Amino acid sequence: MKQIKRIGGWQCWINFYKDYVIKTPKTKEEIEENVSRYLRSINKIERLEKIVKTMLNDIKKSTKIINSSKIPKRLLGDVEFLEKGKVKQKRAIVLSEALTNSSNEAKELIKKTTSFLIELWKYGIHEKTFKIWSNYGVLDKRIILIDLFELTNNKEKVKKQIQKRKWNRPEKFRKILSEKLTNYFINELDKKLTIKNLNKYWNKNN
């Protein structure tokens, strides 16, 4: 099938086809090039080695987390792990694009997304960055996880993030949503991402 376009994220090259994408992890040198450019722009180049090491470890660790869990592949875009660390997923609409629909449709997507985070917990999986608008997508009216390489299965780490309300970054949400929908999204996350729910659902289906 003919490739439509190719873009580079921080961790991977992404080749787009009509119905699917192929993600190829970047080399250490390619990641360093991207990260160093960003760190120089904010005068924090001394953090380069640590960040690059973390990103490379995240790819290996996240792949291991997925392969050792019982999570249905449909929640991950029918993911297939190919040779040399490549990943194939069904092509989805990135959540940031899907949220530009009407306010009512956006609210419905927000509810589906916050419920999906609990669904991941049932398999001992947590997306640790809370870049919800870019790491999740919509496929066949369902929410799926499209960025597979920023995961943790450490319940204590999740608990600490809940206690600190790590998702409470309205300035990030406001790049995508109105102030009203931003507040709605954060409020929904506050309601769903609780210690009580973590203890109730964590690893329930593994």
Side-chain angles (χ1 to χ4, degrees), residues 6-16 21-27 30-31 34 55-56 58-60 63 84-87 89 146-150:
R6 186 183 200 231
I7 64 173
W10 279 51
Q11 291 172 303
C12 298
W13 293 105
I14 307 172
N15 295 325
F16 289 81
V21 298
I22 300 286
K23 298 178 180 177
T24 304
K26 287 186 170 182
T27 64
E30 287 173 328
I31 292 175
N34 262 15
M55 291 174 74
L56 290 168
D58 275 349
I59 293 173
K60 293 178 183 177
T63 301
K84 297 180 180 179
K86 292 183 180 181
V87 169
Q89 290 173 287
I146 57 177
D147 190 328
L148 307 180
F149 297 135
E150 295 181 302

Coordinates of all heavy atoms in Angstrom, one line a residue, residues 6-16 21-27 30-31 34 55-56 58-60 63 84-87 89 146-150:
R6 N 5.0 11.0 6.0 CA 5.9 10.5 7.1 C 6.2 11.7 8.0 O 6.6 12.8 7.5 CB 7.2 10.0 6.5 CG 8.1 9.3 7.6 CD 9.4 8.9 6.9 NE 10.1 7.9 7.7 CZ 11.4 8.0 8.0 NH1 12.1 9.0 7.6 NH2 12.0 7.0 8.7
I7 N 6.1 11.5 9.3 CA 6.4 12.6 10.2 C 7.3 12.0 11.3 O 7.4 10.8 11.5 CB 5.2 13.2 10.9 CG1 4.4 12.2 11.7 CG2 4.3 13.9 9.8 CD1 3.3 12.8 12.5
G8 N 8.0 12.9 12.0 CA 8.9 12.4 13.1 C 8.4 13.0 14.4 O 8.3 14.2 14.6
G9 N 8.1 12.1 15.4 CA 7.9 12.5 16.7 C 9.2 12.5 17.5 O 10.2 12.4 16.9
W10 N 9.1 12.6 18.8 CA 10.3 12.6 19.6 C 10.9 11.3 19.7 O 12.1 11.1 19.7 CB 9.9 13.1 21.1 CG 9.8 14.6 21.2 CD1 9.1 15.4 20.4 CD2 10.5 15.4 22.1 NE1 9.2 16.7 20.8 CE2 10.1 16.7 21.8 CE3 11.4 15.2 23.2 CZ2 10.5 17.8 22.6 CZ3 11.8 16.3 23.9 CH2 11.4 17.6 23.6
Q11 N 10.1 10.2 19.7 CA 10.6 8.9 19.9 C 10.6 8.0 18.6 O 11.4 7.1 18.5 CB 9.8 8.1 20.9 CG 10.0 8.6 22.4 CD 9.0 7.9 23.3 OE1 7.8 8.0 23.1 NE2 9.5 7.3 24.3
C12 N 9.7 8.4 17.7 CA 9.5 7.5 16.5 C 9.3 8.3 15.2 O 8.9 9.4 15.2 CB 8.2 6.6 16.7 SG 8.3 5.5 18.1
W13 N 9.6 7.6 14.1 CA 9.2 8.0 12.8 C 7.9 7.4 12.6 O 7.7 6.2 12.9 CB 10.2 7.6 11.7 CG 11.5 8.3 11.8 CD1 12.7 7.7 12.3 CD2 11.8 9.6 11.5 NE1 13.7 8.7 12.2 CE2 13.2 9.8 11.7 CE3 11.0 10.7 10.9 CZ2 13.8 11.1 11.5 CZ3 11.6 11.9 10.7 CH2 13.0 12.1 10.9
I14 N 6.9 8.1 12.0 CA 5.6 7.6 11.8 C 5.3 7.6 10.3 O 5.2 8.7 9.7 CB 4.5 8.3 12.6 CG1 4.9 8.4 14.1 CG2 3.1 7.6 12.4 CD1 4.0 9.3 14.9
N15 N 5.1 6.5 9.7 CA 4.7 6.4 8.3 C 3.2 6.2 8.2 O 2.7 5.2 8.7 CB 5.4 5.3 7.6 CG 6.9 5.5 7.5 OD1 7.4 6.7 7.4 ND2 7.7 4.5 7.6
F16 N 2.5 7.1 7.5 CA 1.0 7.0 7.4 C 0.6 6.3 6.1 O 1.1 6.7 5.0 CB 0.4 8.4 7.4 CG 0.5 9.0 8.8 CD1 1.6 9.7 9.2 CD2 -0.6 9.0 9.6 CE1 1.7 10.3 10.5 CE2 -0.6 9.7 10.9 CZ 0.6 10.3 11.3
V21 N -0.8 2.9 10.4 CA 0.5 3.6 10.5 C 1.6 2.6 10.9 O 1.3 1.6 11.6 CB 0.5 4.7 11.5 CG1 -0.6 5.8 11.1 CG2 0.1 4.2 12.9
I22 N 2.8 2.9 10.5 CA 3.9 2.1 10.9 C 4.9 3.0 11.7 O 5.2 4.1 11.2 CB 4.7 1.5 9.8 CG1 3.9 0.6 8.9 CG2 6.0 0.7 10.3 CD1 3.5 -0.8 9.6
K23 N 5.2 2.7 13.0 CA 6.0 3.5 13.8 C 7.4 2.8 13.9 O 7.5 1.6 14.3 CB 5.4 3.7 15.2 CG 4.1 4.5 15.1 CD 3.4 4.7 16.4 CE 2.1 5.4 16.3 NZ 1.4 5.6 17.6
T24 N 8.4 3.6 13.7 CA 9.8 3.0 13.8 C 10.5 3.8 14.8 O 10.7 5.1 14.7 CB 10.6 3.2 12.4 OG1 9.8 2.5 11.4 CG2 12.0 2.6 12.5
P25 N 11.0 3.2 15.9 CA 11.7 3.9 17.0 C 12.9 4.6 16.4 O 13.7 4.0 15.6 CB 12.1 2.8 18.0 CG 11.1 1.8 17.8 CD 10.7 1.8 16.3
K26 N 13.2 5.8 16.8 CA 14.3 6.6 16.4 C 15.6 6.0 17.1 O 15.5 5.4 18.1 CB 14.2 8.1 16.7 CG 13.2 8.8 15.8 CD 13.2 10.3 16.1 CE 12.3 11.0 15.1 NZ 12.3 12.5 15.3
T27 N 16.7 6.3 16.4 CA 18.0 5.9 17.0 C 18.3 6.9 18.1 O 17.7 8.0 18.2 CB 19.1 6.0 16.0 OG1 19.3 7.3 15.5 CG2 18.8 5.1 14.8
E30 N 19.2 10.3 16.6 CA 18.1 11.0 16.1 C 17.3 11.6 17.3 O 16.8 12.8 17.2 CB 17.2 10.1 15.3 CG 17.7 9.7 14.0 CD 16.9 8.7 13.3 OE1 16.3 7.8 13.9 OE2 16.9 8.7 12.0
I31 N 17.1 10.9 18.4 CA 16.4 11.5 19.5 C 17.2 12.6 20.1 O 16.7 13.7 20.5 CB 16.2 10.4 20.6 CG1 15.2 9.3 20.1 CG2 15.7 11.0 21.9 CD1 14.9 8.2 21.0
N34 N 16.7 15.9 18.2 CA 15.4 16.6 18.5 C 15.4 17.2 19.8 O 15.0 18.4 20.0 CB 14.3 15.5 18.4 CG 13.6 15.6 17.1 OD1 14.1 16.1 16.1 ND2 12.4 14.9 17.0
M55 N 13.8 8.3 27.5 CA 13.0 8.0 26.3 C 13.3 6.6 25.7 O 12.4 5.9 25.3 CB 13.2 9.1 25.3 CG 12.6 10.5 25.7 SD 13.0 11.8 24.6 CE 11.9 11.4 23.3
L56 N 14.6 6.3 25.6 CA 15.0 5.0 25.1 C 14.5 3.9 26.0 O 14.0 2.8 25.5 CB 16.5 4.9 24.9 CG 17.1 5.8 23.8 CD1 18.6 5.9 23.9 CD2 16.7 5.3 22.4
D58 N 12.0 4.0 28.0 CA 10.5 4.0 27.9 C 10.0 3.1 26.8 O 9.0 2.4 26.9 CB 9.9 5.4 27.8 CG 9.7 6.1 29.1 OD1 9.9 5.5 30.1 OD2 9.5 7.4 29.0
I59 N 10.7 3.2 25.7 CA 10.3 2.3 24.5 C 10.4 0.9 24.9 O 9.4 0.1 24.7 CB 11.2 2.7 23.3 CG1 10.9 4.1 22.8 CG2 10.9 1.6 22.2 CD1 11.8 4.5 21.7
K60 N 11.5 0.5 25.5 CA 11.7 -0.9 25.8 C 10.7 -1.4 26.9 O 10.1 -2.4 26.8 CB 13.1 -1.2 26.3 CG 14.2 -1.0 25.2 CD 15.6 -1.2 25.8 CE 16.7 -0.9 24.8 NZ 18.0 -1.0 25.3
T63 N 7.0 -1.5 25.7 CA 6.7 -2.7 24.9 C 6.6 -4.0 25.8 O 5.7 -4.8 25.6 CB 7.9 -2.9 23.9 OG1 8.0 -1.7 23.1 CG2 7.6 -4.1 23.0
K84 N 12.6 -5.4 14.3 CA 13.4 -4.2 14.7 C 12.6 -3.1 15.4 O 12.9 -1.9 15.3 CB 14.0 -3.6 13.4 CG 14.9 -4.6 12.7 CD 15.5 -4.0 11.4 CE 16.4 -4.9 10.7 NZ 17.0 -4.4 9.4
G85 N 11.7 -3.6 16.3 CA 11.0 -2.6 17.2 C 9.9 -1.8 16.5 O 9.3 -1.0 17.1
K86 N 9.6 -2.1 15.2 CA 8.6 -1.4 14.5 C 7.2 -1.8 15.1 O 7.0 -2.9 15.5 CB 8.6 -1.6 13.0 CG 9.9 -1.1 12.3 CD 9.8 -1.3 10.8 CE 11.0 -0.7 10.2 NZ 11.0 -0.9 8.7
V87 N 6.2 -0.9 15.0 CA 4.9 -1.1 15.4 C 3.9 -0.7 14.4 O 4.0 0.3 13.7 CB 4.6 -0.3 16.7 CG1 3.1 -0.3 17.1 CG2 5.4 -0.8 17.9
Q89 N -0.2 0.0 13.7 CA -1.5 0.2 14.3 C -2.5 0.7 13.3 O -2.1 1.3 12.3 CB -1.4 1.3 15.4 CG -0.7 0.9 16.7 CD -0.5 2.1 17.6 OE1 0.3 3.0 17.3 NE2 -1.2 2.1 18.7
I146 N -2.9 5.6 21.2 CA -2.0 5.6 20.0 C -0.6 5.7 20.3 O 0.3 5.3 19.5 CB -2.5 6.6 19.0 CG1 -2.5 8.0 19.6 CG2 -3.9 6.3 18.5 CD1 -2.9 9.1 18.6
D147 N -0.2 6.3 21.4 CA 1.2 6.4 21.8 C 1.5 5.3 22.8 O 1.0 5.4 24.0 CB 1.6 7.8 22.3 CG 3.1 8.0 22.5 OD1 3.8 7.0 22.8 OD2 3.6 9.1 22.4
L148 N 2.2 4.3 22.4 CA 2.4 3.1 23.3 C 3.7 3.2 24.1 O 3.9 2.2 24.9 CB 2.4 1.9 22.4 CG 1.3 1.7 21.4 CD1 1.5 0.4 20.7 CD2 -0.1 1.7 22.2
F149 N 4.5 4.2 24.0 CA 5.8 4.2 24.6 C 6.0 5.1 25.8 O 7.2 5.5 26.1 CB 6.8 4.5 23.5 CG 6.9 3.5 22.4 CD1 6.9 3.8 21.1 CD2 6.8 2.1 22.7 CE1 6.9 2.9 20.0 CE2 6.9 1.1 21.7 CZ 6.9 1.5 20.3
E150 N 5.0 5.5 26.4 CA 5.1 6.3 27.6 C 4.2 5.7 28.8 O 3.4 6.4 29.4 CB 4.7 7.8 27.3 CG 5.7 8.4 26.3 CD 5.4 9.9 26.0 OE1 4.3 10.1 25.5 OE2 6.3 10.7 26.2

